[in-house]
Amino acid sequence: MERTLVLVKPDGVQRGLIGEAISRFERRGLRLVAAKFIKVGNELAESHYAEHKGKGFYDGLIAYITSAPVMAMVWEGPNAVAAVRQTVGSTKPVESAPGTIRHDFALEVGRNLIHASDKPETGEREVALWFKKDELVDWARAVDAWVFEK
Ligand code: IDP
Ligand code: MG
């Protein structure tokens, strides 16, 4: 089953949107695999956003993600990466479709509330970066057969 890393970023936590985000992923049918509420240090922030090093917004991005606690989660399901990105919306909130989290609750790219892995390979890398193997819960739901075709 495909897995993706989701972070409710510091602005989402401060604005009381952890429950809103979890609720949307649950209603979509995705299955929660792991969750932890943590204050992110510089080392983890820099590894997580390594692809953006050198860009103009990089320093601000590291300051943003380390500024307050985040809710880190792993969700799984068929096409979990694409499904979560769709529910989250485009990077720029004003380009996000109505009904997405970033559209419904955000205005600025530097305060866009949620991180979600962008490709299945990124999902694998990010899940391994943020969670130890024994923090990932392997479980089944009674409803799985009504959400997952196979
Ligand atoms: P994503 O979060 O939708 O995958 P990325 O392009 O990977 O978007 O950028 C990572 C994060 O960096 C964004 O979610 C946003 O918080 C921040 N960011 C991206 N572009 C800008 C920018 O132009 N100004 C400020 N922050 C930005
Ligand atoms: Mg990205």
Side-chain angles (χ1 to χ4, degrees), residues 84-98 100-103 106 108-109 112-114:
V84 167
R85 291 282 294 191
Q86 186 184 40
T87 292
V88 167
S90 308
T91 304
K92 292 184 180 168
V94 293
E95 293 175 4
S96 291
T100 63
I101 297 172
R102 284 169 171 169
H103 169 279
E108 298 232 71
V109 66
N112 62 3
L113 301 171
I114 309 279

Side-chain angles (χ1 to χ4, degrees), residues 49 51-52 85 91 115-118 122 126:
Y49 282 128
E51 65 168 312
H52 298 300
R85 291 282 294 191
T91 304
H115 167 82
S117 307
D118 63 356
T122 317
E126 292 179 347

Side-chain angles (χ1 to χ4, degrees), residues 63-80:
Y64 166 43
I65 203 73
T66 57
S67 61
V70 306
M71 186 69 178
M73 297 175 277
V74 178
W75 290 87
E76 71 183 354
N79 300 306

Side-chain angles (χ1 to χ4, degrees), residues 126-140:
E126 292 179 347
V127 167
L129 178 66
W130 286 78
F131 289 90
K132 299 190 195 95
K133 271 213 171 91
D134 66 6
E135 292 175 320
L136 304 172
V137 181
D138 198 8
W139 65 300

Side-chain angles (χ1 to χ4, degrees), residues 35-50:
K36 59 183 170 190
F37 183 64
I38 54 168
K39 180 88 167 42
V40 180
N42 269 307
E43 198 180 328
L44 177 58
E46 286 171 16
S47 306
H48 177 72
Y49 282 128

